[in-house]
Amino acid sequence: MNHLQEVIAKIEKARIAYSRHQVIKLVAVSKYWDIAQIIDLYNGGQRAFGENKVQDLKAKSAELENYPLEWHLIGTIQENKINTIISLAPALIHSIDSLKLALAFQQRLEREGKTQRALLQINSAREESKSGVDPNEAKEVYLAIKESCPNLLLEGVMSIGAHSEDEKVIAKSFEITKNIFDSLPNAKTLSMGMSGDYELAISCGANMLRIGSALL
Ligand SMILES: *Cc1c(COP(=O)(O)O)cnc(C)c1O
């Protein structure tokens, strides 16, 4: 048993309230789940799954290789994991958090003649504990990656909402990311919203959600 249908109903309600024309993608964050729980979600119709650790992505995608799943890497990336990530070829990396990391991907992708879709993570809440570029530098970094990393197919931005009980503070962090997103040329993916704040993220324009615990 899981809560996929309830979560989808809530997403749909928030989506309609925001705009009937908005198209939203749900990435089920499977980092707390075992294989049977992922298969349960799959049987409920879920196809996109996200992991925050490269080793978990590797292990779970291998165990589930016979299922037509799409894997997303959403966690902070160490440079020594880049070769493994490129060989796993996730559908989307949400967590490119510096020009330096992007250049390291570019070098290896170019050498192997591959491309990789990705998002730039922005630390819109400006929290020490979070990865991501400073919102004041985000546009500049995004454009620099676009310019210098043609094999890293940057298609938007990702943020984790502010760690706060106050909805206004969380909304503010989402709005900062949305404003940057709107200023970028050809950006199409705005990944924000987790179990505790996805309806708020939708009201701020998110079109990709990363939801874990609420689905169990
Ligand atoms: C764990 C995680 C999520 C999902 O968190 P929940 O609160 O369980 O929905 C989303 N994004 C990132 C980057 C995560 O690490």
Side-chain angles (χ1 to χ4, degrees), residues 8-179:
I8 288 174
K10 286 186 187 168
I11 292 171
E12 186 59 6
K13 197 163 171 222
R15 184 188 75 80
I16 299 290
Y18 178 76
S19 163
R20 288 191 303 112
H21 303 289
Q22 181 77 332
V23 176
I24 294 179
K25 175 156 187 155
L26 169 61
V27 177
V29 177
S30 48
K31 66 188 181 195
Y32 310 117
W33 310 339
D34 60 27
I35 295 297
Q37 288 167 313
I38 297 174
I39 292 173
D40 191 43
L41 266 293
Y42 169 83
N43 288 331
Q46 184 64 29
R47 295 292 179 270
F49 291 87
E51 286 288 333
N52 67 338
K53 295 203 182 88
V54 176
Q55 286 319 305
D56 294 342
L57 177 69
K58 186 175 178 178
K60 288 179 183 169
S61 60
E63 276 203 68
L64 291 160
E65 67 176 348
N66 293 328
Y67 288 79
L69 304 181
E70 165 182 318
W71 291 96
H72 294 236
L73 180 61
I74 62 174
T76 306
I77 294 169
Q78 258 91 52
E79 285 202 23
N80 62 5
K81 297 280 164 59
I82 291 177
N83 288 334
T84 309
I85 296 168
I86 289 175
S87 68
L88 292 171
L92 185 66
I93 297 174
H94 293 231
S95 42
I96 297 296
D97 60 6
S98 68
L99 176 58
K100 181 169 175 282
L101 179 65
L103 286 166
F105 267 99
Q106 171 59 28
Q107 195 188 28
R108 292 169 176 79
L109 287 165
E110 194 178 325
R111 197 170 62 205
E112 299 191 27
K114 292 180 176 170
T115 57
Q116 171 64 57
R117 292 168 57 212
L119 306 177
L120 179 67
Q121 182 172 354
I122 304 174
N123 187 359
S124 294
R126 288 220 172 86
E127 289 167 5
E128 272 315 326
S129 59
K130 291 190 171 94
S131 299
V133 297
D134 185 276
N136 286 333
E137 292 160 9
K139 184 171 182 180
E140 193 186 332
V141 173
Y142 190 94
L143 296 175
I145 294 173
K146 274 273 184 209
E147 169 97 24
S148 52
C149 305
N151 295 60
L152 194 63
L153 309 176
L154 206 56
E155 61 172 59
V157 293
M158 179 273 239
S159 274
I160 299 173
H163 184 73
S164 170
E165 297 294 305
D166 186 347
E167 278 219 340
K168 289 200 199 73
V169 174
I170 304 170
K172 181 74 206 163
S173 67
F174 287 150
E175 282 157 12
I176 288 170
T177 308
K178 171 69 158 75
N179 286 334

